[in-house]
């Protein structure tokens, strides 16, 4: 999609977060990505949380080898981050999200 006249992107951000059960790291990753999205992508994102302990097929399809794993599917390019997403600056940089 095109950028709007005020310089903000109109492309909706789409993420898949792979976790395993409610481990401490998985809980932190969920909390951290929600804070980042709510702060920087207000009402302009979709976050799908996939628990591979319940949906192993998704882990195989997306070739998940570590948990937690965040995949940004849109806008391109596709990005993958491993870990609990606690380093906000690094996450913003990798996902190409402006502060």
């Amino acid at each position: 999609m095109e950028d709007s006249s005020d310089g903000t992107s109109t492309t909706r951000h789409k993420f898949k977060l792979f976790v395993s059960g409610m481990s401490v790291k998985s809980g932190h990753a969920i909390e951290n990505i929600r804070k980042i999205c709510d702060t920087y992508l207000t009402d302009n994102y979709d976050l799908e949380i996939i628990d591979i302990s319940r949906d192993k097929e998704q882990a195989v399809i997306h070739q998940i080898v570590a948990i937690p794993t965040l995949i940004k599917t849109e806008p391109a390019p596709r990005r993958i981050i491993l870990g609990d997403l606690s380093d906000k600056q690094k996450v913003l940089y990798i996902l190409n999200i402006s502060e």
Side-chain angles (χ1 to χ4, degrees):
M1 291 190 145
E2 297 295 318
D3 287 346
S4 63
S5 60
D6 67 357
T8 58
S9 176
T10 56
T11 302
R12 192 158 182 85
H13 288 74
K14 295 188 180 181
F15 304 98
K16 292 179 187 265
L17 178 62
F18 292 86
V19 297
S20 183
M22 281 312 300
S23 69
V24 172
K25 275 193 170 183
S26 293
H28 285 243
I30 292 167
E31 182 180 328
N32 290 332
I33 193 60
R34 282 192 173 146
K35 281 182 187 175
I36 289 169
C37 289
D38 288 343
T39 302
Y40 300 100
L41 302 172
T42 308
D43 298 326
N44 192 32
Y45 71 93
D46 294 316
L47 174 62
E48 180 181 1
I49 299 171
I50 300 164
D51 183 349
I52 65 163
S53 67
R54 295 182 181 171
D55 193 351
K56 291 175 178 51
E57 184 177 339
Q58 287 297 314
V60 173
I61 290 169
H62 293 281
Q63 300 177 346
I64 302 302
V65 295
I67 295 298
T69 296
L70 178 72
I71 300 176
K72 178 187 86 162
T73 58
E74 291 182 30
R78 184 174 186 240
R79 299 282 188 198
I80 299 173
I81 304 176
L82 305 177
D84 68 3
L85 311 172
S86 59
D87 187 339
K88 181 181 79 168
Q89 296 304 320
K90 188 175 184 178
V91 172
L92 291 173
Y93 177 77
I94 292 170
L95 297 179
N96 196 26
I97 297 173
S98 301
E99 283 195 71

mmCIF file with all atom_site columns, all heavy atoms in Angstrom, residues 17 25 28-30 32-33 36 68-70 81-88 91:
data_model
loop_
_atom_site.group_PDB
_atom_site.id
_atom_site.type_symbol
_atom_site.label_atom_id
_atom_site.label_alt_id
_atom_site.label_comp_id
_atom_site.label_asym_id
_atom_site.label_entity_id
_atom_site.label_seq_id
_atom_site.pdbx_PDB_ins_code
_atom_site.Cartn_x
_atom_site.Cartn_y
_atom_site.Cartn_z
_atom_site.occupancy
_atom_site.B_iso_or_equiv
_atom_site.pdbx_formal_charge
_atom_site.auth_seq_id
_atom_site.auth_comp_id
_atom_site.auth_asym_id
_atom_site.auth_atom_id
_atom_site.pdbx_PDB_model_num
ATOM 1   N N   . LEU A 1 17 ? 3.511  -14.995 16.632 1.00 0.00 ? 17 LEU A N   1
ATOM 2   C CA  . LEU A 1 17 ? 4.398  -15.245 17.764 1.00 0.00 ? 17 LEU A CA  1
ATOM 3   C C   . LEU A 1 17 ? 4.215  -16.699 18.181 1.00 0.00 ? 17 LEU A C   1
ATOM 4   O O   . LEU A 1 17 ? 3.124  -17.113 18.559 1.00 0.00 ? 17 LEU A O   1
ATOM 5   C CB  . LEU A 1 17 ? 4.081  -14.313 18.934 1.00 0.00 ? 17 LEU A CB  1
ATOM 6   C CG  . LEU A 1 17 ? 4.916  -14.519 20.191 1.00 0.00 ? 17 LEU A CG  1
ATOM 7   C CD1 . LEU A 1 17 ? 6.401  -14.277 19.915 1.00 0.00 ? 17 LEU A CD1 1
ATOM 8   C CD2 . LEU A 1 17 ? 4.429  -13.617 21.312 1.00 0.00 ? 17 LEU A CD2 1
ATOM 9   N N   . LYS A 1 25 ? 9.421  -17.267 29.629 1.00 0.00 ? 25 LYS A N   1
ATOM 10  C CA  . LYS A 1 25 ? 9.884  -16.567 28.430 1.00 0.00 ? 25 LYS A CA  1
ATOM 11  C C   . LYS A 1 25 ? 8.734  -16.309 27.465 1.00 0.00 ? 25 LYS A C   1
ATOM 12  O O   . LYS A 1 25 ? 8.663  -15.247 26.845 1.00 0.00 ? 25 LYS A O   1
ATOM 13  C CB  . LYS A 1 25 ? 10.983 -17.364 27.723 1.00 0.00 ? 25 LYS A CB  1
ATOM 14  C CG  . LYS A 1 25 ? 12.350 -17.117 28.262 1.00 0.00 ? 25 LYS A CG  1
ATOM 15  C CD  . LYS A 1 25 ? 13.390 -17.689 27.324 1.00 0.00 ? 25 LYS A CD  1
ATOM 16  C CE  . LYS A 1 25 ? 14.767 -17.227 27.762 1.00 0.00 ? 25 LYS A CE  1
ATOM 17  N NZ  . LYS A 1 25 ? 15.803 -17.683 26.852 1.00 0.00 ? 25 LYS A NZ  1
ATOM 18  N N   . HIS A 1 28 ? 6.688  -13.418 28.791 1.00 0.00 ? 28 HIS A N   1
ATOM 19  C CA  . HIS A 1 28 ? 7.394  -12.146 28.592 1.00 0.00 ? 28 HIS A CA  1
ATOM 20  C C   . HIS A 1 28 ? 7.329  -11.705 27.137 1.00 0.00 ? 28 HIS A C   1
ATOM 21  O O   . HIS A 1 28 ? 7.137  -10.521 26.849 1.00 0.00 ? 28 HIS A O   1
ATOM 22  C CB  . HIS A 1 28 ? 8.856  -12.261 29.043 1.00 0.00 ? 28 HIS A CB  1
ATOM 23  C CG  . HIS A 1 28 ? 9.028  -12.263 30.515 1.00 0.00 ? 28 HIS A CG  1
ATOM 24  N ND1 . HIS A 1 28 ? 9.707  -11.291 31.192 1.00 0.00 ? 28 HIS A ND1 1
ATOM 25  C CD2 . HIS A 1 28 ? 8.591  -13.127 31.458 1.00 0.00 ? 28 HIS A CD2 1
ATOM 26  C CE1 . HIS A 1 28 ? 9.684  -11.555 32.490 1.00 0.00 ? 28 HIS A CE1 1
ATOM 27  N NE2 . HIS A 1 28 ? 9.012  -12.672 32.662 1.00 0.00 ? 28 HIS A NE2 1
ATOM 28  N N   . ALA A 1 29 ? 7.492  -12.642 26.209 1.00 0.00 ? 29 ALA A N   1
ATOM 29  C CA  . ALA A 1 29 ? 7.443  -12.307 24.783 1.00 0.00 ? 29 ALA A CA  1
ATOM 30  C C   . ALA A 1 29 ? 6.068  -11.764 24.402 1.00 0.00 ? 29 ALA A C   1
ATOM 31  O O   . ALA A 1 29 ? 5.973  -10.764 23.671 1.00 0.00 ? 29 ALA A O   1
ATOM 32  C CB  . ALA A 1 29 ? 7.793  -13.527 23.938 1.00 0.00 ? 29 ALA A CB  1
ATOM 33  N N   . ILE A 1 30 ? 5.022  -12.401 24.878 1.00 0.00 ? 30 ILE A N   1
ATOM 34  C CA  . ILE A 1 30 ? 3.655  -11.939 24.592 1.00 0.00 ? 30 ILE A CA  1
ATOM 35  C C   . ILE A 1 30 ? 3.459  -10.521 25.133 1.00 0.00 ? 30 ILE A C   1
ATOM 36  O O   . ILE A 1 30 ? 2.978  -9.630  24.428 1.00 0.00 ? 30 ILE A O   1
ATOM 37  C CB  . ILE A 1 30 ? 2.608  -12.909 25.192 1.00 0.00 ? 30 ILE A CB  1
ATOM 38  C CG1 . ILE A 1 30 ? 2.656  -14.246 24.464 1.00 0.00 ? 30 ILE A CG1 1
ATOM 39  C CG2 . ILE A 1 30 ? 1.205  -12.295 25.125 1.00 0.00 ? 30 ILE A CG2 1
ATOM 40  C CD1 . ILE A 1 30 ? 1.888  -15.371 25.166 1.00 0.00 ? 30 ILE A CD1 1
ATOM 41  N N   . ASN A 1 32 ? 5.756  -8.255  25.930 1.00 0.00 ? 32 ASN A N   1
ATOM 42  C CA  . ASN A 1 32 ? 6.638  -7.283  25.275 1.00 0.00 ? 32 ASN A CA  1
ATOM 43  C C   . ASN A 1 32 ? 6.158  -6.904  23.880 1.00 0.00 ? 32 ASN A C   1
ATOM 44  O O   . ASN A 1 32 ? 6.160  -5.723  23.522 1.00 0.00 ? 32 ASN A O   1
ATOM 45  C CB  . ASN A 1 32 ? 8.073  -7.815  25.227 1.00 0.00 ? 32 ASN A CB  1
ATOM 46  C CG  . ASN A 1 32 ? 8.707  -7.863  26.597 1.00 0.00 ? 32 ASN A CG  1
ATOM 47  O OD1 . ASN A 1 32 ? 8.359  -7.094  27.484 1.00 0.00 ? 32 ASN A OD1 1
ATOM 48  N ND2 . ASN A 1 32 ? 9.636  -8.787  26.784 1.00 0.00 ? 32 ASN A ND2 1
ATOM 49  N N   . ILE A 1 33 ? 5.744  -7.882  23.069 1.00 0.00 ? 33 ILE A N   1
ATOM 50  C CA  . ILE A 1 33 ? 5.307  -7.531  21.710 1.00 0.00 ? 33 ILE A CA  1
ATOM 51  C C   . ILE A 1 33 ? 3.986  -6.767  21.752 1.00 0.00 ? 33 ILE A C   1
ATOM 52  O O   . ILE A 1 33 ? 3.769  -5.852  20.950 1.00 0.00 ? 33 ILE A O   1
ATOM 53  C CB  . ILE A 1 33 ? 5.224  -8.768  20.762 1.00 0.00 ? 33 ILE A CB  1
ATOM 54  C CG1 . ILE A 1 33 ? 5.078  -8.325  19.300 1.00 0.00 ? 33 ILE A CG1 1
ATOM 55  C CG2 . ILE A 1 33 ? 4.095  -9.702  21.151 1.00 0.00 ? 33 ILE A CG2 1
ATOM 56  C CD1 . ILE A 1 33 ? 6.196  -7.486  18.750 1.00 0.00 ? 33 ILE A CD1 1
ATOM 57  N N   . ILE A 1 36 ? 4.879  -3.137  22.573 1.00 0.00 ? 36 ILE A N   1
ATOM 58  C CA  . ILE A 1 36 ? 5.485  -2.482  21.413 1.00 0.00 ? 36 ILE A CA  1
ATOM 59  C C   . ILE A 1 36 ? 4.419  -2.153  20.372 1.00 0.00 ? 36 ILE A C   1
ATOM 60  O O   . ILE A 1 36 ? 4.355  -1.038  19.859 1.00 0.00 ? 36 ILE A O   1
ATOM 61  C CB  . ILE A 1 36 ? 6.606  -3.354  20.820 1.00 0.00 ? 36 ILE A CB  1
ATOM 62  C CG1 . ILE A 1 36 ? 7.818  -3.355  21.763 1.00 0.00 ? 36 ILE A CG1 1
ATOM 63  C CG2 . ILE A 1 36 ? 6.999  -2.882  19.421 1.00 0.00 ? 36 ILE A CG2 1
ATOM 64  C CD1 . ILE A 1 36 ? 8.887  -4.375  21.431 1.00 0.00 ? 36 ILE A CD1 1
ATOM 65  N N   . PRO A 1 68 ? 10.647 -18.422 22.471 1.00 0.00 ? 68 PRO A N   1
ATOM 66  C CA  . PRO A 1 68 ? 9.663  -17.839 21.562 1.00 0.00 ? 68 PRO A CA  1
ATOM 67  C C   . PRO A 1 68 ? 10.300 -17.333 20.264 1.00 0.00 ? 68 PRO A C   1
ATOM 68  O O   . PRO A 1 68 ? 11.458 -16.946 20.246 1.00 0.00 ? 68 PRO A O   1
ATOM 69  C CB  . PRO A 1 68 ? 9.068  -16.674 22.352 1.00 0.00 ? 68 PRO A CB  1
ATOM 70  C CG  . PRO A 1 68 ? 9.940  -16.464 23.541 1.00 0.00 ? 68 PRO A CG  1
ATOM 71  C CD  . PRO A 1 68 ? 10.861 -17.624 23.678 1.00 0.00 ? 68 PRO A CD  1
ATOM 72  N N   . THR A 1 69 ? 9.511  -17.357 19.198 1.00 0.00 ? 69 THR A N   1
ATOM 73  C CA  . THR A 1 69 ? 9.924  -16.848 17.898 1.00 0.00 ? 69 THR A CA  1
ATOM 74  C C   . THR A 1 69 ? 8.830  -15.927 17.369 1.00 0.00 ? 69 THR A C   1
ATOM 75  O O   . THR A 1 69 ? 7.659  -16.316 17.330 1.00 0.00 ? 69 THR A O   1
ATOM 76  C CB  . THR A 1 69 ? 10.146 -17.989 16.883 1.00 0.00 ? 69 THR A CB  1
ATOM 77  O OG1 . THR A 1 69 ? 11.222 -18.805 17.328 1.00 0.00 ? 69 THR A OG1 1
ATOM 78  C CG2 . THR A 1 69 ? 10.462 -17.450 15.496 1.00 0.00 ? 69 THR A CG2 1
ATOM 79  N N   . LEU A 1 70 ? 9.225  -14.727 16.949 1.00 0.00 ? 70 LEU A N   1
ATOM 80  C CA  . LEU A 1 70 ? 8.296  -13.776 16.337 1.00 0.00 ? 70 LEU A CA  1
ATOM 81  C C   . LEU A 1 70 ? 8.616  -13.690 14.849 1.00 0.00 ? 70 LEU A C   1
ATOM 82  O O   . LEU A 1 70 ? 9.776  -13.512 14.476 1.00 0.00 ? 70 LEU A O   1
ATOM 83  C CB  . LEU A 1 70 ? 8.441  -12.388 16.970 1.00 0.00 ? 70 LEU A CB  1
ATOM 84  C CG  . LEU A 1 70 ? 7.544  -11.307 16.355 1.00 0.00 ? 70 LEU A CG  1
ATOM 85  C CD1 . LEU A 1 70 ? 6.086  -11.535 16.742 1.00 0.00 ? 70 LEU A CD1 1
ATOM 86  C CD2 . LEU A 1 70 ? 8.001  -9.918  16.783 1.00 0.00 ? 70 LEU A CD2 1
ATOM 87  N N   . ILE A 1 81 ? 12.548 -12.888 14.776 1.00 0.00 ? 81 ILE A N   1
ATOM 88  C CA  . ILE A 1 81 ? 13.276 -12.568 16.004 1.00 0.00 ? 81 ILE A CA  1
ATOM 89  C C   . ILE A 1 81 ? 13.061 -13.707 16.997 1.00 0.00 ? 81 ILE A C   1
ATOM 90  O O   . ILE A 1 81 ? 11.928 -14.126 17.224 1.00 0.00 ? 81 ILE A O   1
ATOM 91  C CB  . ILE A 1 81 ? 12.784 -11.257 16.641 1.00 0.00 ? 81 ILE A CB  1
ATOM 92  C CG1 . ILE A 1 81 ? 12.858 -10.099 15.660 1.00 0.00 ? 81 ILE A CG1 1
ATOM 93  C CG2 . ILE A 1 81 ? 13.585 -10.945 17.903 1.00 0.00 ? 81 ILE A CG2 1
ATOM 94  C CD1 . ILE A 1 81 ? 12.285 -8.795  16.196 1.00 0.00 ? 81 ILE A CD1 1
ATOM 95  N N   . LEU A 1 82 ? 14.150 -14.164 17.586 1.00 0.00 ? 82 LEU A N   1
ATOM 96  C CA  . LEU A 1 82 ? 14.083 -15.196 18.624 1.00 0.00 ? 82 LEU A CA  1
ATOM 97  C C   . LEU A 1 82 ? 14.256 -14.542 19.987 1.00 0.00 ? 82 LEU A C   1
ATOM 98  O O   . LEU A 1 82 ? 14.998 -13.574 20.130 1.00 0.00 ? 82 LEU A O   1
ATOM 99  C CB  . LEU A 1 82 ? 15.198 -16.225 18.425 1.00 0.00 ? 82 LEU A CB  1
ATOM 100 C CG  . LEU A 1 82 ? 15.274 -16.894 17.055 1.00 0.00 ? 82 LEU A CG  1
ATOM 101 C CD1 . LEU A 1 82 ? 16.471 -17.837 17.010 1.00 0.00 ? 82 LEU A CD1 1
ATOM 102 C CD2 . LEU A 1 82 ? 14.003 -17.632 16.745 1.00 0.00 ? 82 LEU A CD2 1
ATOM 103 N N   . GLY A 1 83 ? 13.590 -15.093 20.999 1.00 0.00 ? 83 GLY A N   1
ATOM 104 C CA  . GLY A 1 83 ? 13.780 -14.609 22.363 1.00 0.00 ? 83 GLY A CA  1
ATOM 105 C C   . GLY A 1 83 ? 12.539 -13.935 22.913 1.00 0.00 ? 83 GLY A C   1
ATOM 106 O O   . GLY A 1 83 ? 11.477 -13.929 22.293 1.00 0.00 ? 83 GLY A O   1
ATOM 107 N N   . ASP A 1 84 ? 12.699 -13.333 24.096 1.00 0.00 ? 84 ASP A N   1
ATOM 108 C CA  . ASP A 1 84 ? 11.544 -12.779 24.800 1.00 0.00 ? 84 ASP A CA  1
ATOM 109 C C   . ASP A 1 84 ? 11.212 -11.332 24.412 1.00 0.00 ? 84 ASP A C   1
ATOM 110 O O   . ASP A 1 84 ? 10.324 -10.720 24.983 1.00 0.00 ? 84 ASP A O   1
ATOM 111 C CB  . ASP A 1 84 ? 11.707 -12.900 26.314 1.00 0.00 ? 84 ASP A CB  1
ATOM 112 C CG  . ASP A 1 84 ? 12.817 -12.026 26.871 1.00 0.00 ? 84 ASP A CG  1
ATOM 113 O OD1 . ASP A 1 84 ? 13.439 -11.262 26.102 1.00 0.00 ? 84 ASP A OD1 1
ATOM 114 O OD2 . ASP A 1 84 ? 13.053 -12.115 28.094 1.00 0.00 ? 84 ASP A OD2 1
ATOM 115 N N   . LEU A 1 85 ? 11.927 -10.786 23.431 1.00 0.00 ? 85 LEU A N   1
ATOM 116 C CA  . LEU A 1 85 ? 11.642 -9.457  22.874 1.00 0.00 ? 85 LEU A CA  1
ATOM 117 C C   . LEU A 1 85 ? 11.794 -8.338  23.900 1.00 0.00 ? 85 LEU A C   1
ATOM 118 O O   . LEU A 1 85 ? 11.144 -7.301  23.811 1.00 0.00 ? 85 LEU A O   1
ATOM 119 C CB  . LEU A 1 85 ? 10.238 -9.424  22.245 1.00 0.00 ? 85 LEU A CB  1
ATOM 120 C CG  . LEU A 1 85 ? 9.916  -10.573 21.292 1.00 0.00 ? 85 LEU A CG  1
ATOM 121 C CD1 . LEU A 1 85 ? 8.455  -10.549 20.887 1.00 0.00 ? 85 LEU A CD1 1
ATOM 122 C CD2 . LEU A 1 85 ? 10.816 -10.535 20.072 1.00 0.00 ? 85 LEU A CD2 1
ATOM 123 N N   . SER A 1 86 ? 12.674 -8.536  24.880 1.00 0.00 ? 86 SER A N   1
ATOM 124 C CA  . SER A 1 86 ? 12.832 -7.556  25.954 1.00 0.00 ? 86 SER A CA  1
ATOM 125 C C   . SER A 1 86 ? 13.679 -6.351  25.557 1.00 0.00 ? 86 SER A C   1
ATOM 126 O O   . SER A 1 86 ? 13.583 -5.302  26.183 1.00 0.00 ? 86 SER A O   1
ATOM 127 C CB  . SER A 1 86 ? 13.421 -8.218  27.205 1.00 0.00 ? 86 SER A CB  1
ATOM 128 O OG  . SER A 1 86 ? 14.679 -8.792  26.902 1.00 0.00 ? 86 SER A OG  1
ATOM 129 N N   . ASP A 1 87 ? 14.493 -6.467  24.511 1.00 0.00 ? 87 ASP A N   1
ATOM 130 C CA  . ASP A 1 87 ? 15.313 -5.344  24.048 1.00 0.00 ? 87 ASP A CA  1
ATOM 131 C C   . ASP A 1 87 ? 14.498 -4.544  23.026 1.00 0.00 ? 87 ASP A C   1
ATOM 132 O O   . ASP A 1 87 ? 14.561 -4.778  21.823 1.00 0.00 ? 87 ASP A O   1
ATOM 133 C CB  . ASP A 1 87 ? 16.615 -5.851  23.432 1.00 0.00 ? 87 ASP A CB  1
ATOM 134 C CG  . ASP A 1 87 ? 17.591 -4.742  23.083 1.00 0.00 ? 87 ASP A CG  1
ATOM 135 O OD1 . ASP A 1 87 ? 17.150 -3.574  22.942 1.00 0.00 ? 87 ASP A OD1 1
ATOM 136 O OD2 . ASP A 1 87 ? 18.786 -5.045  22.941 1.00 0.00 ? 87 ASP A OD2 1
ATOM 137 N N   . LYS A 1 88 ? 13.725 -3.591  23.531 1.00 0.00 ? 88 LYS A N   1
ATOM 138 C CA  . LYS A 1 88 ? 12.780 -2.849  22.697 1.00 0.00 ? 88 LYS A CA  1
ATOM 139 C C   . LYS A 1 88 ? 13.456 -2.187  21.504 1.00 0.00 ? 88 LYS A C   1
ATOM 140 O O   . LYS A 1 88 ? 12.950 -2.255  20.384 1.00 0.00 ? 88 LYS A O   1
ATOM 141 C CB  . LYS A 1 88 ? 12.053 -1.801  23.535 1.00 0.00 ? 88 LYS A CB  1
ATOM 142 C CG  . LYS A 1 88 ? 11.028 -0.994  22.743 1.00 0.00 ? 88 LYS A CG  1
ATOM 143 C CD  . LYS A 1 88 ? 10.341 0.037   23.590 1.00 0.00 ? 88 LYS A CD  1
ATOM 144 C CE  . LYS A 1 88 ? 11.262 1.225   23.733 1.00 0.00 ? 88 LYS A CE  1
ATOM 145 N NZ  . LYS A 1 88 ? 10.639 2.412   24.300 1.00 0.00 ? 88 LYS A NZ  1
ATOM 146 N N   . VAL A 1 91 ? 14.266 -4.752  18.846 1.00 0.00 ? 91 VAL A N   1
ATOM 147 C CA  . VAL A 1 91 ? 13.043 -5.246  18.203 1.00 0.00 ? 91 VAL A CA  1
ATOM 148 C C   . VAL A 1 91 ? 12.518 -4.209  17.208 1.00 0.00 ? 91 VAL A C   1
ATOM 149 O O   . VAL A 1 91 ? 12.183 -4.546  16.065 1.00 0.00 ? 91 VAL A O   1
ATOM 150 C CB  . VAL A 1 91 ? 11.964 -5.605  19.254 1.00 0.00 ? 91 VAL A CB  1
ATOM 151 C CG1 . VAL A 1 91 ? 10.634 -5.929  18.588 1.00 0.00 ? 91 VAL A CG1 1
ATOM 152 C CG2 . VAL A 1 91 ? 12.429 -6.776  20.115 1.00 0.00 ? 91 VAL A CG2 1
#
